[in-house]
Amino acid sequence: MRPMPEAGTEAWAARFPGRVQAVAAVDQPTLLVASPADLPEVLAALKADGYALLLDVTAVDFLPRRPRFEVVYHLTRPEGGPGSRLRVKVPVAEGEEVPTATRLWPGADWPERETYDLFGIVFQGHPHLARIYLPDDWEGHPLRKDYPRTGFRID
């Protein structure tokens, strides 16, 4: 069975022509936002439409693809039902910043810090963007595909 875009995601793509695309996915409806610059407006519209809860923020490294990363947001409507979960993805080039979602969902604070710590993606406007797992003097970001598999030697 080939995944198809959900009907609700097609409506969002029509609402933001050229900036949002409905993406075929097997597990949940998915939107692809064209660029980080479009993200704040799209996320604000989704929240206003009832996607009141941000479940997670993470990233995927597609090295050697360009742009290299996708930042991924998982949203839900608290009342549940069909179409209550939504994945929003945005492609991000290495060194490109992504606007923070903490203004809409204060709970984005720690997942954005985690994504920064492990992937090195900077969230512009974040209230306290600092490492959350690794020491401040740690070199590199362990979830990047070019991070040494055996880690760095510690003497």
Side-chain angles (χ1 to χ4, degrees):
M1 183 171 136
R2 205 173 96 189
M4 298 294 293
E6 300 255 345
T9 58
E10 296 289 351
W12 283 104
R15 184 170 172 181
F16 294 97
R19 298 188 299 156
V20 173
Q21 174 184 347
V23 177
V26 175
D27 56 344
Q28 64 184 289
T30 303
L31 295 175
L32 180 66
V33 178
S35 78
D38 297 321
L39 195 60
E41 184 181 357
V42 173
L43 291 179
L46 288 166
K47 184 173 183 182
D49 192 54
Y51 288 97
L53 183 60
L54 174 74
L55 300 174
D56 196 17
V57 180
T58 190
V60 181
D61 184 353
F62 288 104
L63 185 71
R65 189 183 85 178
R66 300 289 182 239
R68 177 176 178 169
F69 301 104
E70 279 184 353
V71 173
V72 183
Y73 301 82
H74 292 106
L75 309 175
T76 192
R77 295 175 188 260
E79 68 273 5
S84 65
R85 291 181 61 100
L86 180 67
R87 178 185 300 120
V88 179
K89 305 187 305 182
V90 62
V92 180
E94 191 164 1
E96 186 175 19
E97 294 185 1
V98 178
T100 185
T102 57
R103 290 181 182 96
L104 294 169
W105 295 284
D109 184 350
W110 282 44
E112 287 183 354
R113 286 181 63 189
E114 177 183 51
T115 303
Y116 165 72
D117 194 5
L118 300 177
F119 287 96
I121 296 170
V122 173
F123 290 88
Q124 180 184 35
H126 190 280
H128 181 67
L129 193 62
R131 289 200 182 263
I132 195 167
Y133 295 126
L134 299 170
D136 289 336
D137 61 348
W138 191 268
E139 291 182 24
H141 304 281
L143 291 185
R144 287 184 173 211
K145 287 189 175 177
D146 56 0
Y147 190 80
R149 285 187 273 171
T150 57
F152 291 102
R153 181 180 171 159
I154 300 174
D155 292 327

